[in-house]
Amino acid sequence: KSKGLVNGMVLLGFGFGGFLFTLLGAKIANPHSLPLEGGRFPPEVYAAFPKMLRTLAACYLALGVLASLLVKPAPVAVVAPGTKAPSRAASNDRTFGEAVRHPTFWLLW
């Protein structure tokens, strides 16, 4: 029904996430906005870098777990008596090796 809206929201999330986490990472690694000195940041900025990575990883993990809790299975289609169930668009009729050798795989990747 609203595939365009969903795709737009996904793209919005990618763009806003990159923007937000860049600002958050800069604020964690360089909380006092220290300027460059001779083309390098002061040592305290480099010392805060591992903490920044751990904090951002924890944020990504928390958001991933929260997002996974919001996912629910698709509803089961009800088929009227005497009609044929719709076929699935995608099926697992190929092994991994067969899929890699198929031209569609290389067109997508």
Side-chain angles (χ1 to χ4, degrees):
K1 292 181 180 179
S2 57
K3 291 180 184 179
L5 176 64
V6 171
N7 283 330
M9 296 301 286
V10 168
L11 289 173
L12 174 79
F14 276 113
F16 186 69
F19 174 73
L20 180 72
F21 279 97
T22 298
L23 293 177
L24 182 63
K27 200 52 144 168
I28 294 169
N30 191 1
H32 305 295
S33 300
L34 300 174
L36 292 171
E37 297 173 359
R40 294 178 54 109
F41 282 108
E44 53 266 24
V45 174
Y46 293 109
F49 189 75
K51 176 188 173 197
M52 179 202 67
L53 291 179
R54 286 190 299 272
T55 304
L56 290 179
C59 289
Y60 288 136
L61 177 67
L63 288 172
V65 168
L66 179 67
S68 70
L69 294 174
L70 297 175
V71 175
K72 62 181 181 180
V76 177
V78 178
V79 179
T83 61
K84 188 175 171 183
S87 63
R88 295 184 56 115
S91 64
N92 297 327
D93 59 350
R94 293 188 179 107
T95 65
F96 177 74
E98 291 171 342
V100 170
R101 288 189 296 273
H102 197 271
T104 306
F105 177 84
W106 296 105
L107 287 172
L108 292 173
W109 295 101

